[in-house]
């Protein structure tokens, strides 16, 4: 536009200038004044148009800036709302997700030579049967170790073992009917020792065998293995195929032990405190104060991480004393065997003065508790054991069968399955072996 106006004006000026030479001076002066006036008008138009365009440019930039700010604010609000919705949705979906144990206890690989021996021996259908009846008066951990010794005794005589019922630790709601092999309900590979699992029938009637016959397991194992290795192999064999019912019970208890969603902290430390009748059997355990257990936890714990303790004990006094003595920043996760059966146990102690060992019972009170619960406490005890094995660090007293059981599972299953860079740790405050 400016170029067009300037060109037009210059042409007119040239023409006028061309005529000025033929005009008189007065007319020439008039034309000069007219030409000067036109130039002034053109300059004024230029300035006006420039100012208008500059104003329009500023207005457009201001509008764009306002739109940009508005869009940014809207996007931030939308993002915050979306993030909240996603987080809320994730939290809700996570709370609905069924908690899981870190190992599939129903199907674990057998790795040790001792455990492979148990598998080969118990599934050798050419061998006749030897039956071991449970006495139903000792603890569950004791019964499992008795079974491993029974296999040792039977193998030395050329037999495989079938455990006969009734076994007071079986929960009839998950183990209905009469199991020909009492161990087969909770430990599915142990059921392979039953005649029902063998197509080859042995006509020879089964013999009865005792668990304590003085046979040494190294007679049927390489000399580098001792009794402890044999026991550990037997426990590895049993727990490589735990029944689905025990696993489901453990996963049911996960949110109760590790609220609210059953997430097990990665730095969990399991502490097993055995009191009750064990104090009579092992008086030296009385010297192990609660502070001793707490000091051991401090040695195992990572000081840079929160401390979580799974406290495995059936003793109410030990549970309360540990909670009161432990530092306030520790998180204590009580044994579900204690919490789930606490009310029933208190009623039994009140109604039966001989129920507790300290009141005259010569045997472990847990079998009597299992009889009172019709085997339910056996299911809870094994589920609690699987929860205890979620830890990589342990404070134990292996004079107790239950602590020894934990240590055997630590060595044979947890250590080999917890990961490439995973290493378990244990402090054994009172070692022992049966």
């Amino acid at each position: 536009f400016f170029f067009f106006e300037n060109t037009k004006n210059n042409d007119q000026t040239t023409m006028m200038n061309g005529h000025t030479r033929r005009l008189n001076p007065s007319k020439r002066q008039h034309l000069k004044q007219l030409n000067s006036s036109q130039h002034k008008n053109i300059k004024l138009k230029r300035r006006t148009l420039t100012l208008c365009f500059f104003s329009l440019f500023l207005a457009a930039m201001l509008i764009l800036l306002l739109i940009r700010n508005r869009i940014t604010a809207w996007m931030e609000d939308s993002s915050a709302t979306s993030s909240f919705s996603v987080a809320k949705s994730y939290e809700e979906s996570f709370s609905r997700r069924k908690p899981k144990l870190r190992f599939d206890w129903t199907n674990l690989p057998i790795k040790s030579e001792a455990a492979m021996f148990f598998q080969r021996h118990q599934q050798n259908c050419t061998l006749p049967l030897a039956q071991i009846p449970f006495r139903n008066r000792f603890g569950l951990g004791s019964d499992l170790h008795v079974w491993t010794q029974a296999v040792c005794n039977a193998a030395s005589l050329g037999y495989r073992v079938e455990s006969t019922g009734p076994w007071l630790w079986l929960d009839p709601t998950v183990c209905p009917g009469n199991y020909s092999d009492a161990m087969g309900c909770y430990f599915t590979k142990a059921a392979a020792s039953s005649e029902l699992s063998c197509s080859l029938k042995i006509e020879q009637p089964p013999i009865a065998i005792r668990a304590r016959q003085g046979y040494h397991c190294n007679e049927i194992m390489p000399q580098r293995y001792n009794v402890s290795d044999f026991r550990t192999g037997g426990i590895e064999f049993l727990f490589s195929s735990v029944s689905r019912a025990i696993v489901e019970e453990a996963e049911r208890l996960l949110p109760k032990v590790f609220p609210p969603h059953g997430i097990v902290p990665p730095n969990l430390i399991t502490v097993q405190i055995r009191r009750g009748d064990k104090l009579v059997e092992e008086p030296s355990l009385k010297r192990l104060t609660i502070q001793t257990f707490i000091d051991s936890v401090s040695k195992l714990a990572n000081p840079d991480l929160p401390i979580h303790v799974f406290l495995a004990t059936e003793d109410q006094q030990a549970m309360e004393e540990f909670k009161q003595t432990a530092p306030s920043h520790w998180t204590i996760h009580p044994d579900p065997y204690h919490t789930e059966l606490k009310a029933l146990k208190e009623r039994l102690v009140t109604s039966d003065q001989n129920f507790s060992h300290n009141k005259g019972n010569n045997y472990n009170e847990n079998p009597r508790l299992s009889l009172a619960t019709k085997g339910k406490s056996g299911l809870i005890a094994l589920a609690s054991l699987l929860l205890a094995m979620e830890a990589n660090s342990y404070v134990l007293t292996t004079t107790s069968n239950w602590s020894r059981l934990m240590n055997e599972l630590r060595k044979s299953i947890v250590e080999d399955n917890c990961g490439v860079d995973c290493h378990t740790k244990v402090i054994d405050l009172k070692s022992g072996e049966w």
Side-chain angles (χ1 to χ4, degrees), residues 112-339:
S112 72
E113 187 175 352
M116 291 178 184
F117 164 80
F118 272 86
Q119 183 169 11
R120 289 193 305 268
H121 180 78
Q122 287 296 98
Q123 295 179 357
N124 184 358
C125 294
T126 64
L127 296 177
L129 285 175
Q131 293 181 336
I132 169 177
F134 287 110
R135 299 175 67 185
N136 292 325
R137 54 193 301 195
F138 297 106
L140 177 55
S142 174
D143 280 357
L144 296 181
H145 287 128
V146 163
W147 182 87
T148 64
Q149 182 62 39
V151 173
C152 167
N153 297 347
S156 299
L157 297 174
Y159 289 81
R160 55 195 169 92
V161 168
E162 181 182 59
S163 56
T164 59
W167 191 31
L168 60 84
W169 299 106
L170 291 181
D171 185 346
T173 62
V174 298
C175 301
N178 182 22
Y179 273 78
S180 59
D181 192 321
M183 298 276 286
C185 176
Y186 286 161
F187 306 100
T188 55
K189 283 182 181 175
S193 65
S194 170
E195 281 294 312
L196 298 177
S197 304
C198 293
S199 58
L200 177 63
K201 299 298 182 181
I202 303 296
E203 299 299 331
Q204 180 179 343
I207 66 168
I209 193 165
R210 295 176 58 194
R212 294 175 180 264
Q213 263 186 301
Y215 290 96
H216 299 289
C217 302
N218 57 11
E219 294 177 357
I220 54 175
M221 291 290 294
Q223 292 298 318
R224 65 179 180 276
Y225 286 90
N226 54 31
V227 174
S228 176
D229 296 326
F230 192 84
R231 296 263 191 276
T232 301
I235 296 303
E236 179 187 353
F237 168 71
L238 289 177
F239 281 84
S240 66
S241 60
V242 175
S243 74
R244 174 57 59 184
I246 296 175
V247 172
E248 290 178 352
E249 178 67 10
E251 292 175 345
R252 180 188 72 84
L253 294 171
L254 270 173
K256 293 185 176 183
V257 180
F258 305 102
H261 303 309
I263 302 175
V264 180
N267 52 324
L268 181 68
I269 300 174
T270 288
V271 176
Q272 205 269 332
I273 303 177
R274 181 73 165 87
R275 293 281 182 87
D277 63 290
K278 201 68 179 179
L279 295 179
V280 178
E281 182 182 339
E282 292 283 347
S284 60
L285 289 176
K286 295 179 181 179
R287 295 195 293 268
L288 295 178
T289 64
I290 293 298
Q291 188 62 49
T292 305
F293 287 91
I294 291 176
D295 292 341
S296 299
V297 171
S298 299
K299 293 177 182 178
L300 292 174
N302 185 339
D304 298 327
L305 296 175
I307 297 178
H308 292 263
V309 176
F310 178 83
L311 186 54
T313 183
E314 79 285 1
D315 190 89
Q316 174 68 24
Q317 183 179 351
M319 180 75 69
E320 295 301 326
E321 189 178 348
F322 192 96
K323 288 181 178 180
Q324 294 171 6
T325 310
S328 58
H329 64 277
W330 288 14
T331 302
I332 312 300
H333 305 274
D335 189 343
Y337 183 82
H338 170 76
T339 56

Side-chain angles (χ1 to χ4, degrees), residues 349-350 352-362:
V349 171
T350 302
D352 184 359
Q353 293 184 352
N354 292 324
F355 178 80
S356 173
H357 172 81
N358 295 329
K359 295 183 179 180
N361 181 20
N362 292 325

